[in-house]
Amino acid sequence: MIYRYTRFTAVLLMLIASTGCDKEEKNHNISVLDTSYKEIADKTNRNHSECIPDTEICFTEQEISTAIFDIAGMEMALKMYRMDAKTYPSTQQGLKALVEKPVIPPEPKRYRNGGYISELKKDPWGNDYFYLNPAEHGGKIDIFSAGPDKKPGTCDDIGNWNIYDVSTETIRNCYVKKPE
């Protein structure tokens, strides 16, 4: 329960920080939020690494929470992009459209000076986040990490379609062999 509350609080704080202030103040609020979120994660002892037997797949609750936080942030930035551009970026334009104005169609009608995020982050396992438009999991767009196995399209993917359901337990269950 604390785990979900912490995740929800971090997303809510990010949403509050991203509205109603200038860019300099917004960057300060986000860095304060980022620091606060990391402190919360450390205090709740979420650094215990869990590894799946007979694989090289390891993960921590903090890594899962970081991916969820990043995805929620990119989803918010994409919604702001859509408000200006009147459409989401295409799959080909990708998440890079949040950092620099796309030059391939569909070019946005309006684009914020400086973009919508300062840089594209890697997921906690060192890989790029994925973006699909149209979405494959309901909704309009998919934003996701390939998860600890680093392979997209597997059961440990963390995406905007499952951020409220994914946990160390659900990822562990991806690898539990079902009795025959």
Side-chain angles (χ1 to χ4, degrees):
M1 185 66 171
I2 291 173
Y3 175 65
R4 279 186 169 215
Y5 178 75
T6 303
R7 232 185 304 165
F8 176 77
T9 303
V11 172
L12 183 61
L13 288 172
M14 192 181 96
L15 294 175
I16 292 167
S18 69
T19 59
C21 55
D22 63 32
K23 189 169 184 168
E24 187 175 311
E25 184 180 336
K26 194 182 298 182
N27 287 340
H28 171 73
N29 288 346
I30 289 172
S31 68
V32 168
L33 173 63
D34 191 38
T35 301
S36 299
Y37 185 72
K38 287 176 184 169
E39 288 171 5
I40 290 168
D42 290 341
K43 286 180 184 175
T44 55
N45 191 23
R46 297 193 293 162
N47 292 321
H48 174 71
S49 185
E50 186 166 331
C51 295
I52 305 300
D54 302 323
T55 72
E56 294 182 17
I57 300 169
C58 295
F59 53 92
T60 65
E61 192 170 322
Q62 186 170 359
E63 288 171 327
I64 294 167
S65 294
T66 298
I68 289 166
F69 188 73
D70 290 348
I71 290 164
M74 286 185 284
E75 187 170 34
M76 179 56 61
L78 283 160
K79 287 178 180 179
M80 290 188 292
Y81 177 98
R82 183 175 178 232
M83 286 173 35
D84 289 343
K86 308 298 182 215
T87 185
Y88 285 112
S90 67
T91 298
Q92 187 179 8
Q93 291 168 327
L95 294 170
K96 187 175 180 183
L98 296 174
V99 179
E100 58 187 53
K101 184 177 181 180
V103 293
I104 57 174
E107 292 181 45
K109 296 181 188 313
R110 292 185 341 191
Y111 190 85
R112 291 185 185 191
N113 191 16
Y116 297 84
I117 58 176
S118 58
E119 65 180 338
L120 287 176
K121 295 180 180 182
K122 298 279 188 186
D123 76 6
W125 300 278
N127 298 302
D128 292 330
Y129 284 96
F130 293 87
Y131 171 77
L132 296 173
N133 179 9
E136 293 180 353
H137 294 92
K140 296 182 186 282
I141 56 171
D142 284 345
I143 311 158
F144 65 101
S145 162
D149 74 353
K150 304 178 183 182
K151 298 174 186 168
T154 58
C155 66
D156 70 347
D157 291 356
I158 301 169
N160 60 330
W161 64 87
N162 70 355
I163 61 173
Y164 297 107
D165 300 323
V166 71
S167 66
T168 54
E169 184 179 347
T170 60
I171 290 180
R172 186 181 327 105
N173 289 340
C174 286
Y175 301 100
V176 173
K177 292 183 181 178
K178 312 247 185 310
E180 295 180 23

